[in-house]
Amino acid sequence: MASAEKRGSTWRARYNKPDGSVGSESGFPTKKTALGWGREQEAAIRAGRWVDPDLRATTFGEFTKSFMTSRRKRGRTVGTRWEKLDSHILPRWQDTALGSITWYEVDAWQQSLTIADVSRGHCVSLMSTIMTAAVDAQHITVNPLFGRRRTRDTAGDAAVPKAPKVSRDPRPEDALLLAERLGPARGIHVLTTAFTGLRWGEGLGLHRDRALLERRQPWGDAEFVCPVLRVVEEYAEYQERDPDGTKNGYLLQLEPTKNDGSTRDIDVPRFLARLLRHHLDDWPHERPFSTTSGKPWRRGNWSRDFRPACDGRDERAKRQGVSYRAEWEPILPGLDMRALRALHDTLQAQIGVKEPLAFEAAGHRRPGIKRHYQRPTPDMRAERLAGLEEVFWKAMANVGLRTMWGRVDLRKPDR
């Protein structure tokens, strides 16, 4: 039963908690207000909607550590969350009580962040996820961020388009020139990304035993057969953390694919299958797209060769201890492997790949009910492969190439 007692010039409310202990709250001006507050707590307890005021006062920083410890995700996801927490969220909200956080303040804060608007959205989304967990843990009764629409900055130069990372959209010709320049071991990775849409980590994680497997599917009165790349895992590079967020250096390790749509077989065009067969014959390591020592590429190490090939480089004269290095004209400054993956999806739209197959090949989970009803057919697959084959040969003619790397005449009969 709630009660009130005099404490100096104010009154203190006392009430029975669910565990049988006595809770209290001080600072009420009258006995009536103290009793009323205590009775409200006991009514909320009986209704199952009571939140302990002590838990409501838990700081966002304290609860975040508990959340990050208990909600384990893929390593890269955990690393990305900690980066946003350390760089943007915790500096502002570390010492704020969960019960004191309001949407008005969060919205004003996110507008003040000097980062890309999409990153602001990710920060608010992560905060909302943590606040929802606090509701589930009965630290607060409601998440004030849930379902709210952010205010976007439209003043000043906010509406001015940002300078693109790449000066123009990549073309198949750019992928061919880049692959030719990098040579067969690295160039085959570039071509495979541009014409199959492999993600960076998926390419590194591809095993030779899952390269150029066969898809067999009934097709009319015959059977459709084509080579595929089977994607079941990927390499992720991220900063390892202790449960409390302490940094422990960077890891590069295999993980399952990011979702069920990413685990897939990707149909491979005939020209690319031929090049991949030659590469697998020559390559001694179990991962086809690895370093010359068979280890997975670190992004920084890959960039040492990839960036000059895209952006160009100056000539370097031969001198003692240093070999001669020819000048490279730029192919497409700013181009990266993600843009090459996007090129594949653009090509799929260009050649009219049907939605069920386009989503499958890209490793995207198709939204809506249609994903349960529509499936790729052999006709769709054959059209896609024929379209990519035509794009490749047209690009080869445009850049004046007949062979890749001077090693393989692609017009020889397939073996």
Side-chain angles (χ1 to χ4, degrees), residues 5-180:
E5 60 183 24
K6 186 76 170 177
R7 301 291 290 180
S9 61
T10 61
W11 290 81
R12 180 170 70 176
R14 295 171 66 82
Y15 61 96
N16 294 320
K17 289 184 173 183
D19 61 3
S21 63
V22 177
S24 65
E25 182 75 14
S26 302
F28 295 97
T30 66
K31 179 179 181 179
K32 182 178 179 180
T33 55
L35 277 172
W37 188 88
R39 288 166 180 161
E40 286 177 3
Q41 303 310 302
E42 292 183 341
I45 291 170
R46 289 192 297 272
R49 52 182 172 79
W50 179 75
V51 171
D52 190 332
D54 293 337
L55 295 180
R56 182 180 170 84
T58 302
T59 65
F60 183 85
E62 287 180 79
F63 186 78
T64 293
K65 289 182 179 179
S66 171
F67 172 85
M68 292 298 290
T69 300
S70 61
R71 303 296 176 91
R72 299 299 293 175
K73 295 283 188 178
R74 298 166 71 249
R76 180 58 190 156
T77 302
V78 172
T80 300
R81 283 181 167 181
W82 273 119
E83 288 167 13
K84 287 178 171 53
L85 288 166
D86 283 349
S87 300
H88 308 296
I89 301 174
L90 290 180
R92 168 61 180 85
W93 302 103
Q94 171 89 32
D95 299 320
T96 305
L98 291 169
S100 300
I101 295 175
T102 66
W103 171 245
Y104 178 84
E105 291 180 314
V106 171
D107 194 34
W109 160 75
Q110 66 89 17
Q111 290 182 74
S112 70
L113 295 175
T114 56
I115 55 179
D117 186 68
V118 66
S119 296
R120 295 178 193 173
H122 291 161
C123 287
V124 174
S125 177
L126 177 55
M127 272 196 75
S128 182
T129 298
I130 294 172
M131 293 292 285
T132 296
V135 173
D136 295 339
Q138 295 187 321
H139 284 51
I140 51 178
T141 56
V142 65
N143 172 10
L145 281 57
F146 180 78
R148 303 303 297 267
R149 179 174 294 181
R150 293 185 301 118
T151 302
R152 299 176 187 270
D153 190 5
T154 57
D157 61 354
V160 177
K162 302 295 188 292
K165 184 176 180 180
V166 186
S167 57
R168 59 170 172 76
D169 293 332
R171 308 166 301 160
E173 289 81 358
D174 299 318
L176 294 179
L177 292 173
L178 180 58
E180 179 73 11

Side-chain angles (χ1 to χ4, degrees), residues 216-231:
R216 293 185 171 273
Q217 191 172 351
W219 192 18
D221 60 353
E223 187 177 43
F224 173 79
V225 181
C226 78
V228 299
L229 303 180
R230 179 159 296 166
V231 179

Side-chain angles (χ1 to χ4, degrees), residues 249-265:
Y250 280 86
L251 286 178
L252 181 63
Q253 65 179 20
L254 277 172
E255 293 186 345
T257 52
K258 61 191 303 183
N259 53 49
D260 56 354
S262 298
T263 300
R264 64 200 187 280
D265 288 347

